Amino acid sequence: MKTFTAVTLSSLMALATTAGIAQADDDMREMKTLSEGLGLISFEEAKAKALEAKPGVIEDADLEDRDFKKGWDYEFEIVDADANEWEVYIDAKTGEVRKIEKDWF
C-alpha cells in the first residue's frame, strides 16, 4: 500500500508541475497577444527594465490593466540576493519604471 501511495503522490506532483508549465505558456501567449494588439513594449523589453531597476530573479510576471483608460503595467515579482521580494511596475506603453515596492510578508 505504501508503494501505491508513493507512486500516486509522485504522479500527482509531476502532473501539477506539467500543468503549471502549460499555464505559464498560456500566460505568456496572452501577454504577447495583448502587448502586440495594444502597441505596448514587449515582455522582453519590460523584463530587462525591471531587472535593471531591481536585480534578482523573476518569480512571476503579469500584464495588468491600471484602471479604465489609464494604461497598462507589466508587474514583476523579483527576489533579490538577500531573499527580499520586490514588486516592480513597468509602464507597458513607455517602458518607464513606475513603482518599486518591497513585498512584506
Side-chain angles (χ1 to χ4, degrees):
M1 190 63 149
K2 289 181 182 178
T3 304
F4 177 73
T5 303
V7 170
T8 302
L9 288 175
S10 65
S11 298
L12 287 173
M13 289 172 58
L15 181 60
T17 301
T18 303
I21 292 169
Q23 180 66 36
D25 287 345
D26 288 346
D27 290 347
M28 288 302 295
R29 273 192 292 275
E30 184 179 348
M31 274 195 280
K32 184 175 181 180
T33 300
L34 274 171
S35 65
E36 289 174 354
L38 297 170
L40 307 175
I41 66 171
S42 71
F43 171 79
E44 290 77 17
E45 290 174 88
K47 176 181 169 182
K49 290 181 181 290
L51 289 172
E52 184 179 314
K54 185 54 71 180
V57 176
I58 294 176
E59 267 193 344
D60 192 24
D62 293 303
L63 180 60
E64 305 219 348
D65 187 356
R66 206 176 35 228
D67 291 326
F68 295 104
K69 299 185 182 183
K70 290 192 178 184
W72 292 81
D73 283 336
Y74 284 100
E75 178 187 344
F76 293 92
E77 291 180 15
I78 298 175
V79 178
D80 67 15
D82 296 324
N84 295 310
E85 189 169 310
W86 299 84
E87 292 186 2
V88 179
Y89 297 84
I90 305 294
D91 186 297
K93 192 71 166 178
T94 67
E96 173 189 354
V97 177
R98 285 197 345 95
K99 183 172 30 171
I100 299 174
E101 293 181 327
K102 187 171 184 179
D103 196 8
W104 299 97
F105 293 99

